[in-house]
């Protein structure tokens, strides 16, 4: 209440408001003569006929001789505008002596007009500042979305220089942290191409660059002499002398992501304090994006290196025996999982080739890491591969000593070719027994069994030996195949019986074709549903000679018998 | 045509005796439900321990209502064995489906899972009911 009553005391009626539109004219001249606002009276043709003290003072400051004769242009134009038939006459605005005014007309007698000039310089400046801030905010938002849409370091650097040149300066350079003694430099200028260069530069040549590369706050731009800028810090093709320079660090996550150098030619306005602050805001965003991209690149390279060790090997024909393997990880976008296989060639035709296929409980990278361990242990135990039980016992001890709860099932096979047939010693350690595809279409299960590895303190293992005639295959596979859930209703397991049926059609097929076919049938059964890791490895005695498979097959039926006799 | 949805698994406590706990497992024990199986069986063992003290000797699992199983069930059973044996609890499997028998035999853990647990003498525990059996197993 009290306040409301006070208000009128502080309200000064705007003299420019035409609350008394017919109050102009000579009668009130004494009233506006001492008014704090510049007032001009113009006659019907637009000549100034009278001014008050404030107006004389203002135009004297402007150093213009307007008031004796004509009006300033913007006011003259407003004067010539016809007075609207209804409502208050239109006001006009313009500058006098570097200040902005709004001129409010009050029509007087005989076509005279009294112009009240109300200064709005501060409002105008505030509006300009607001608009500038809005533009900068928009630019920052654009920068953020452009920078964070990519995790590629080169692309991020390009976007940074491109946006810096477009919005902040005539040209921009990003100096990346040193790689040894060399720095990667990325340049561009307004409307120009982005250029890259890697060079051994001396950062001390640019004032503040050494400090900025270490992440220290930027040196004020007025301390940098544009004449000191070396040639390597100027984009190729940048013409004209440099007028002003900003050197600002690109702050990263715990480490500097590089330095941004902004250049303006001498014909362009020098960087203001506000622009310097804005450049720092820009650099903070660019630095965060660049740093994220760099961290990502490092992680990606580490992952690639680790994955390379975990990927299944490429298999080929060795010592007259065909090997083929296919591995499909549980998640199709992952390349590694809990299944694995390896083929360690014997040192000569007379030596056994050691084959292993296994399955670690679980899926994904965690399981893959354990497969890596098992594969390494088995590789080291290669000289002992003559005794499968011994190898399995040592592997079991190695896994029992580690503290995880994971276990593995695997099949070991020692393969040797002897006079046209292939002898394989097979040992299952809790794994599905391998299936043997005979030339007459029978599918046999290898008579081997044993304990899984890594869970029980004591293990047992029963080995078996099988002989493969030419065209016969021994298939090692993981339960991802038989436990593939799908079929017409989507809830049936593929199962061992379907696998045996499929294998009956694989008689005399090369190893490559057998694994392709089995994986294809299991995938069809799945019909795109989720699945476990699926691995298949075929060991096949190749069919000898040339000719069509049919003819060769007929020969093959007799060949093993000949040799056995 | 019908999309395969991961089936539910239920673990029901059938009867509670001081030395024996009977649980019935129904539904699917596969990759999606093994964690739940482990959790619920552990809960049952914990609440038995809380109510009866650490005296449980036999955990009976009835599998007659099991509708499906895959190889990851083995992980769950080995985990259960790892927890139960140090507490002196022997596992008993009843009416398990053929697929389960197949997995246990294939991996050679059937005998290991159900072997008698070592006798544990909890401090301050006097059990006059079965003195002969503990003597035999030790």
């Amino acid at each position: 209440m009290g306040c409301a009553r006070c208000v009128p005391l502080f309200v000064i009626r705007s003299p420019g408001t035409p609350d008394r539109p017919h109050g102009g004219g000579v009668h009130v001249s004494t009233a506006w003569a001492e008014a704090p606002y510049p007032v001009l009276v113009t006659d019907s043709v637009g000549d100034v006929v009278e001014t008050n003290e404030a107006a004389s003072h203002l135009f004297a400051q402007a150093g213009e001789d307007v008031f004796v004769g004509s009006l300033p242009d913007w006011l003259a134009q407003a004067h010539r505008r016809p007075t609207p038939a209804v409502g208050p006459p239109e006001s006009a605005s313009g500058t006098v002596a570097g200040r902005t005014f709004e001129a409010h007309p009050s029509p007087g007698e005989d076509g005279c007009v009294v112009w009240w000039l109300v200064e709005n310089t501060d409002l105008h400046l505030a509006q300009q500042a607001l608009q500038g801030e809005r533009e900068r905010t928009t630019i920052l938002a654009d920068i953020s979305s452009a920078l964070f849409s990519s995790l590629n370091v080169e692309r991020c650097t390009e976007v940074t220089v491109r946006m810096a040149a477009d919005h902040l300066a005539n040209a921009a350079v990003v100096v990346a942290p040193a790689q040894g003694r060399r720095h990667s430099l990325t340049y561009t200028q307004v409307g120009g191409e982005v250029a890259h260069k890697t060079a051994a530069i001396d950062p001390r040549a640019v004032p503040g660059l050494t400090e900025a590369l270490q992440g220290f706050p930027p040196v004020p731009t007025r301390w940098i002499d544009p004449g000191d800028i070396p040639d390597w810090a100027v984009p190729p093709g940048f013409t004209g002398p440099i007028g002003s320079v900003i050197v600002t660090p690109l702050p990263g996550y715990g480490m500097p992501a590089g330095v941004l150098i902004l250049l303006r030619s001498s014909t362009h306005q020098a960087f203001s304090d506000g622009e310097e602050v804005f450049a720092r805001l820009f650099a903070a965003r660019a630095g965060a994006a660049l740093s994220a991209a760099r961290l990502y690149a490092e992680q990606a390279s580490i992952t690639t290196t680790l994955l390379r060790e975990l990927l299944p090997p490429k298999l080929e024909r060795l010592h007259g025996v065909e090997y083929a393997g296919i591995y499909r990880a549980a998640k199709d976008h992952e390349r590694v999982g809990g299944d694995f296989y390896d083929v360690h060639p014997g040192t000569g035709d007379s030596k056994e080739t050691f084959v292993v296929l296994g399955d670690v409980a679980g899926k994904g990278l965690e399981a893959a890491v354990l497969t890596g361990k098992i594969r390494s242990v088995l590789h080291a135990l290669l000289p002992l591969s003559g005794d499968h039980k011994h190898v399995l016992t040592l592997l079991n001890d190695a896994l029992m000593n580690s503290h995880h709860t994971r276990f593995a099932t695997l099949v070991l096979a020692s393969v040797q070719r002897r006079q046209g047939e292939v002898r394989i010693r097979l040992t299952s350690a809790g794994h599905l027994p391998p299936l043997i595809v005979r030339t007459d279409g029978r599918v046999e299960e290898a008579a081997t069994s044993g304990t899984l590895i890594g869970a029980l303190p004591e293990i047992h293992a029963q080995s078996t030996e099988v002989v493969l005639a030419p065209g016969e295959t021994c298939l090692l596979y993981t339960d991802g195949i038989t436990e593939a859930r799908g079929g017409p209703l989507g809830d049936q397991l593929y199962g061992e019986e379907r696998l045996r049926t499929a294998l009956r059609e694989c008689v005399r097929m090369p190893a490559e074709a057998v694994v392709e076919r089995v994986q294809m049938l299991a995938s069809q059964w799945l019909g795109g549903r989720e699945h476990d890791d699926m691995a298949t490895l075929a060991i096949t005695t190749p069919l000898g000679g040339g000719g069509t498979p049919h003819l060769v097959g007929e020969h093959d039926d007799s060949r093993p018998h000949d040799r056995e006799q | 045509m019908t999309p395969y949805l991961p089936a539910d698994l239920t673990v029901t406590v059938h009867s509670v005796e001081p030395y024996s706990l009977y649980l019935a497992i129904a539904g699917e024990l596969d990759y999606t439900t093994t964690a739940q199986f482990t959790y619920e069986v552990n809960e049952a063992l914990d609440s038995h321990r809380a109510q009866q003290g650490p005296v449980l000797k036999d955990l009976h699992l009835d599998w007659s209502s099991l509708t499906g199983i895959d190889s990851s069930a083995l992980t769950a059973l080995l985990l259960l064995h790892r927890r139960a044996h140090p507490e002196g609890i022997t596992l008993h499997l009843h009416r398990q489906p053929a697929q389960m028998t197949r997995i246990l035999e294939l991996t050679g853990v059937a005998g290991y899972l159900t072997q008698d647990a070592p006798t544990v003498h909890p401090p301050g525990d006097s059990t006059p009911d079965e003195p002969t059996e503990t003597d035999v197993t030790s």
Side-chain angles (χ1 to χ4, degrees):
Chain A
M1 285 298 278
C3 281
R5 236 180 273 135
C6 294
V7 168
L9 296 176
F10 297 103
V11 173
I12 299 163
R13 276 196 189 164
S14 169
T17 311
D19 49 353
R20 294 176 62 198
H22 300 290
V26 287
H27 304 297
V28 289
S29 63
T30 46
W32 49 255
E34 285 162 22
Y37 293 91
V39 176
L40 307 170
V41 180
T42 54
D43 60 15
S44 52
V45 287
D47 282 339
V48 178
V49 292
E50 225 177 322
T51 60
N52 72 350
E53 209 170 306
S56 314
H57 192 66
L58 172 70
F59 285 102
Q61 265 185 346
E64 293 172 41
D65 218 13
V66 285
F67 54 94
V68 285
S70 59
L71 285 164
D73 281 349
W74 59 273
L75 203 51
Q77 273 171 21
H79 184 80
R80 284 195 290 273
R81 273 203 304 262
T83 311
V86 287
E90 283 180 60
S91 57
S93 62
T95 56
V96 181
R99 295 153 68 183
T100 53
F101 290 89
E102 201 159 272
H104 298 275
S106 303
E109 293 159 1
D110 310 325
C112 281
V113 178
V114 182
W115 289 96
W116 296 78
L117 269 56
V118 185
E119 185 169 2
N120 60 0
T121 309
D122 288 344
L123 176 70
H124 201 74
L125 287 176
Q127 277 171 341
Q128 271 183 337
L130 178 67
Q131 198 188 345
E133 278 309 310
R134 279 183 181 155
E135 278 168 14
R136 286 171 187 186
T137 308
T138 313
I139 293 169
L140 287 179
D142 288 350
I143 288 163
S144 291
S145 56
L147 285 171
F148 286 99
S149 62
S150 169
L151 276 175
N152 177 310
V153 178
E154 275 186 23
R155 166 97 188 112
C156 261
T157 314
E158 279 180 22
V159 170
T160 303
V161 288
R162 162 76 45 230
M163 296 205 105
D166 286 352
H167 298 294
L168 295 167
N170 296 127
V173 185
V174 167
V175 183
Q179 305 258 318
R181 282 186 180 181
R182 300 171 81 80
H183 289 264
S184 166
L185 304 166
T186 309
Y187 305 94
T188 198
Q189 52 183 312
V190 180
E193 293 290 308
V194 175
H196 292 281
K197 189 165 96 179
T198 303
I201 54 160
D202 182 7
R204 285 171 300 181
V206 176
L209 180 58
T210 317
E211 294 77 11
L213 277 169
Q214 290 166 355
F216 286 113
V219 175
T221 182
R222 59 182 176 277
W223 293 5
I224 302 170
D225 179 3
D228 286 350
I229 300 299
D231 287 345
W232 56 258
V234 182
F238 184 81
T239 48
I242 298 157
S244 56
V245 181
I246 286 181
V247 177
T248 187
L250 297 164
Y253 297 114
M255 57 180 182
V259 173
L260 176 67
I261 302 176
L262 300 172
L263 306 168
R264 268 188 190 171
S265 65
S266 52
T267 53
H268 203 279
Q269 197 185 351
F271 289 109
S272 68
D273 286 351
E275 282 171 323
E276 221 174 317
V277 170
F278 181 64
R280 259 180 257 168
L281 288 175
F282 173 89
R285 278 165 169 77
L290 271 173
S291 174
R294 246 183 222 125
L295 284 174
Y296 176 78
E298 269 173 34
Q299 294 297 319
S301 123
I302 291 168
T303 312
T304 312
T305 312
L306 291 176
L307 278 185
R308 206 180 296 137
E309 290 300 305
L310 294 174
L311 285 174
K314 286 234 184 324
L315 303 185
E316 54 189 8
R317 193 169 168 147
L318 282 168
H319 306 311
V321 184
E322 280 181 15
Y323 298 92
I326 293 187
Y327 176 65
R328 194 175 157 197
K331 291 177 189 160
D332 284 334
H333 58 273
E334 286 181 5
R335 290 182 298 157
V336 297
D339 289 2
F340 63 98
Y341 54 76
D342 268 315
V343 172
H344 302 284
T347 45
D349 281 358
S350 61
K351 293 280 197 286
E352 289 179 327
T353 294
F354 187 58
V355 179
V356 56
L357 174 136
D359 178 2
V360 167
K363 300 180 190 180
L365 198 57
E366 217 181 313
V369 170
L370 186 57
T371 68
K373 183 173 179 178
I374 292 172
R375 287 167 71 180
S376 306
V377 172
L378 286 174
H379 197 170
L381 295 176
L382 212 50
L384 307 174
S385 64
D387 185 351
H388 285 179
K389 171 84 192 295
H390 190 41
V391 169
L392 291 173
T393 306
L394 291 171
L395 179 63
N396 190 53
D397 292 347
L399 295 187
M400 286 294 283
N401 289 338
S402 51
H403 294 284
H404 51 72
T405 56
R406 290 183 182 277
F407 59 85
T409 67
L410 43 120
V411 174
L412 305 183
S414 291
V415 186
Q416 194 177 18
R417 187 178 167 120
R418 260 186 227 159
Q419 297 158 348
E421 60 187 25
V422 170
R423 288 175 180 276
I424 311 175
R425 202 152 28 82
L426 288 165
T427 310
S428 159
H431 198 86
L432 291 158
L435 295 171
I436 321 295
V437 187
R438 298 297 185 190
T439 41
D440 59 5
R442 278 179 300 132
V443 177
E444 299 168 1
E445 190 178 277
T448 172
S449 64
T451 321
L452 50 74
I453 300 296
L456 278 55
E458 297 288 328
I459 60 155
H460 72 86
Q462 179 71 51
S463 301
T464 188
E465 188 167 285
V466 298
V467 178
L468 298 184
E472 293 185 335
T473 294
C474 173
L475 181 78
L476 283 57
Y477 65 99
T478 59
D479 56 15
I481 299 284
T482 46
E483 286 184 1
R485 195 182 283 274
L489 294 172
D491 60 348
Q492 293 286 304
L493 297 183
Y494 187 64
E496 285 163 52
E497 207 36 61
R498 283 192 189 84
L499 177 60
R500 281 161 180 260
T501 309
L503 284 175
R504 268 179 216 122
E505 292 155 15
C506 295
V507 176
R508 296 194 189 93
M509 279 191 186
E512 197 91 25
V514 175
V515 290
E516 286 282 356
R517 176 146 185 86
V518 170
Q519 288 273 359
M520 189 197 75
L521 288 173
S523 297
Q524 279 180 352
W525 184 259
L526 279 166
R529 293 175 189 86
E530 264 190 49
H531 60 92
D532 197 356
D533 299 320
M534 304 196 293
T536 44
L537 190 153
I539 306 168
T540 303
T541 313
L543 290 162
T548 65
H550 180 72
L551 287 172
V552 174
E554 279 183 343
H555 282 290
D556 283 339
D557 279 342
S558 57
R559 223 183 268 171
H561 301 296
D562 294 344
R563 293 234 163 76
E564 275 165 21
Q565 281 159 7
Chain B
M1 275 163 275
T2 323
Y4 168 69
L5 296 169
D8 268 350
L9 174 93
T10 53
V11 178
T12 321
V13 179
H14 255 216
S15 66
V16 183
E17 294 166 20
Y19 304 110
S20 304
L21 180 61
Y22 291 84
L23 302 179
I25 292 94
E28 300 258 345
L29 185 57
D30 61 18
Y31 187 76
T32 56
T33 57
T34 46
Q36 188 202 342
F37 171 81
T38 304
Y39 176 80
E40 292 199 15
V41 174
N42 279 338
E43 283 280 287
L45 288 175
D46 289 343
S47 77
H48 185 279
R49 196 185 176 91
Q51 286 163 16
Q52 311 277 348
V55 294
L56 189 66
K57 297 217 172 301
D58 297 291
L59 175 62
H60 296 269
L61 302 171
D62 184 334
W63 303 96
S64 57
S65 302
L66 197 73
T67 53
I69 184 168
D70 76 7
S71 53
S72 46
L74 206 56
T75 317
L77 287 171
L78 286 167
L79 262 177
L80 179 58
H81 181 273
R82 179 178 283 210
R83 181 213 157 139
H85 262 226
E87 295 179 20
I89 304 165
T90 303
L91 302 181
H92 302 271
L93 309 179
H94 303 287
R95 300 196 278 174
Q96 65 258 45
Q99 173 77 0
M100 187 165 177
T101 311
R102 162 97 173 127
I103 289 175
L104 295 182
E105 279 175 2
L106 182 68
T107 51
V109 298
Y112 174 76
L113 276 179
T114 53
Q115 75 191 94
D116 286 341
T119 310
V120 180
H121 293 287
D125 181 44
S126 57
T127 53
D129 291 5
E130 289 174 305
T132 46
E133 201 186 312
T134 43
D135 286 348
V136 169
T137 47
S138 60

